[in-house]
Amino acid sequence: MGIIVQKYGGTSMGTIDRIKNVARRIIAKREQGNQMVVVVSAMGKSTDELIKMAYAISDAPPRREMDMLLATGEQVSISMLSMALNAMGYDAISFTGPQVGIHTMGHHGKSRIMGIETKKIEEALDAGKIVIVAGFQGVNDNDDITTLGRGGSDTSAVALSCVLGCPCEIYTDVDGIYGVDPRLYPPAKKLDAVSFDEMLEMASLGAGVMHARAIELGSKYNAEIYVASSLNDVPGTLITEHPPVDESRKRQAITGMAVDNDELMISLKNVPYDTNITAQFFSNLAQKSINIDMISQTAPVYGAINISFSAPIEDLPELRTILYDFMEKYPQVEMDIDKEVSKLSVVGSGMKSQAGVAAKFFATLENNNVPILMITTSEIRISCVIPSELKETAVMATADAFNL
Amino acid sequence: MGIIVQKYGGTSMGTIDRIKNVARRIIAKREQGNQMVVVVSAMGKSTDELIKMAYAISDAPPRREMDMLLATGEQVSISMLSMALNAMGYDAISFTGPQVGIHTMGHHGKSRIMGIETKKIEEALDAGKIVIVAGFQGVNDNDDITTLGRGGSDTSAVALSCVLGCPCEIYTDVDGIYGVDPRLYPPAKKLDAVSFDEMLEMASLGAGVMHARAIELGSKYNAEIYVASSLNDVPGTLITEHPPVDESRKRQAITGMAVDNDELMISLKNVPYDTNITAQFFSNLAQKSINIDMISQTAPVYGAINISFSAPIEDLPELRTILYDFMEKYPQVEMDIDKEVSKLSVVGSGMKSQAGVAAKFFATLENNNVPILMITTSEIRISCVIPSELKETAVMATADAFNL
């Protein structure tokens, strides 16, 4: 008997009937002779509802307490799924992240898994049980409950498959990985396979389907991840080191595109031109684990520079504190926070061997009157910050241009 | 600075505004120079909603998984209250039962507190923090999350006050302890003080205000418990070893009355008259921790007896399993489960020194055409099972007769 780790997301667990559906899918694999370890997210929109509750009582909820609150979402899911399996005649047992020993480090709300104990899981599997583990959560050295950030259940599942040395199947509400989100671009094509590198770029851009840290782990331990729908049996997408060569794909420079609306663009004008000041400012952001994605800086004019950078919208409360401190210290600085921006990115390993991808991308945006506010690139990615209101136009034009 | 343990129930924590109200009450005591340890229940009706969800997915949810599910209710409350206090400028920290080290033994859903670690609490108090602890829950030797049964947060609070050697204040949605539930009998009188013994009888009868195990603990460690409303500042009721003598009260045989609707009456007809069979049956019930309250047995006729007993309605799923097993073994037995019964009890230390209380109680019921289905008594209590439909009549008549 082999072990399989499966993960079911919030939509798959959204109602009593859907939980029963998940239970039946687990049982089907179990009946094929597998030992099942199942990671689940919170039911439906419950995480969003908990966040809303927190902000109803506090403008800046302490992150430790936020983790305490959010962790209840997955705890509800695991017990419900275990009850469903037991009601169908299968012995199942649920564990929270802390119970199973998912040890994390780092800041509350964006902790990283450092290790997982397998003793409890293996004992339960040996006793013939189906093991249900709460995704998204763990415990730090201080015995506090921690969470891994949005989409962290993917990471919990991949990490479990790495320590258990077994395949990982991520079930979600889409059929697999698409070149573009089909909700944004209906003719989007599904990929049979995609490389870890490409997927990592797309995930870290907020492509939504997978948590970036999950892909990183899969890549590091070379653990293939299969992504498919929990609602049908349509073949999904395999994320792997070297996807099999696909003739139609081979000719394409771009594998996929991602749009991220959860970004802010902060512009600071009239900042004193002093490398220490800039370095100290970004070091303060780093200390609070605020992920700065793009930074642009103008040349100094009369001893002052303008700095723009983008950051995740969820970091706004802490970002604001740092910005206000900064402006108190340097009252001449003018600040502008623009929430109405989107980040549009194109990703593809093919970019390395094909010239002119960037030129084509920028030309496409320009021809459609979409201004580019900031640009950043990696070896296999080009990202532009654009005004949110022009997002649809930009997506359509780019997806058409690159045949996604 | 002294420590105070406060407990706030579900109604007190039912909305965002009520949680803020609780936070302000805690701060008021804190500003008087006290170190605060606060135990809270799940918000409003959330425990009931979780139970409903569980039964929507399973007819007989495993109790371990039920505890896993229910424990989330208090975890939401503690984080929300901690956020509220932090937002008001007070450093607060929340702990789940397992985190703080509330060790329990016994069956899931009705576990008993065996010990509480004070290290984490004392460290947090020493660091100037307000400590919020999840009531109702703990952890067993197997590292499973456990719950203490309905109302168990009272027990968590009293147990904490015992280990911390400090006063305990239970805040609820009523002004204190009444001789009769004012919702059933509007002219009911509030008691300034009541003895542990009387309170224990009332609590174990489902008088609703306090969890029986909490009173037991208070009595054992002689830790006074103050019960009052969280919604106003009306003086409440002190539960103590020897309440001060109150002239009007002294002349009364009966201190209070309780009505319990969560009881079943099970009648087994034509049971073989064999002590081993009866003993084995009740031993099976005991093994499942089903609390049998009253038992009556008829004299044998042609080698068969009839047995009736009452049990808590929440134990019905497990009770049913045992009953069906029994009937499979003894097919001649006829069974009847009556859910439409209530248990009416009168309680009072005065009963010991005054004769005729039982006679007066029975006569009152008889004069009002309320049939008595079963009777049980203790030194300071008389209970009758009656048809639920006659509950109101019986309560009114008895409260009038005993001047409650």
Side-chain angles (χ1 to χ4, degrees), chain A residues 64-65 68 75 94 99, chain B residues 64-65 68 75 94 143:
Chain A
R64 178 191 180 277
E65 302 302 329
M68 178 70 95
Q75 194 170 326
S94 68
Q99 271 180 334
Chain B
R64 178 191 180 278
E65 302 302 329
M68 178 71 93
Q75 194 170 327
S94 68
D143 209 24

Side-chain angles (χ1 to χ4, degrees), chain A residues 383-404:
Chain A
S383 300
C384 296
V385 171
I386 60 170
S388 286
E389 56 186 2
L390 296 173
K391 188 181 70 180
E392 280 77 16
T393 312
V395 167
M396 290 291 175
T398 312
D400 282 344
F402 288 103
N403 185 29
L404 302 176

Side-chain angles (χ1 to χ4, degrees), chain A residues 307-326:
Chain A
I307 299 175
S308 295
F309 61 93
S310 67
I313 211 160
E314 59 170 3
D315 287 333
L316 186 56
E318 280 165 348
L319 192 56
R320 225 173 227 153
T321 313
I322 294 172
L323 286 170
Y324 290 154
D325 285 354
F326 185 71

Side-chain angles (χ1 to χ4, degrees), chain A residues 19 53-54 57 64-66 68-69 72 75-76 79-80 82-83 86 93-94 99 120 142-143 145, chain B residues 19 53-54 57 61-62 64-66 68-69 72 75-76 79-80 82-83 93-94 99 120 142-143 145:
Chain A
I19 295 175
M53 268 176 65
I57 210 154
R64 178 191 180 277
E65 302 302 329
M66 192 62 136
M68 178 70 95
L69 181 65
T72 63
Q75 194 170 326
V76 168
S79 53
M80 290 292 286
S82 176
M83 287 177 193
N86 277 284
I93 186 165
S94 68
Q99 271 180 334
K120 269 191 180 263
N142 201 26
D143 209 24
I145 298 171
Chain B
I19 294 174
M53 267 175 65
I57 211 155
R64 178 191 180 278
E65 302 302 329
M66 192 62 136
M68 178 71 93
L69 180 66
T72 62
Q75 194 170 327
V76 168
S79 54
M80 290 293 286
S82 175
M83 287 177 193
I93 186 166
S94 68
Q99 271 180 335
K120 269 191 180 263
N142 201 26
D143 209 24
I145 298 171

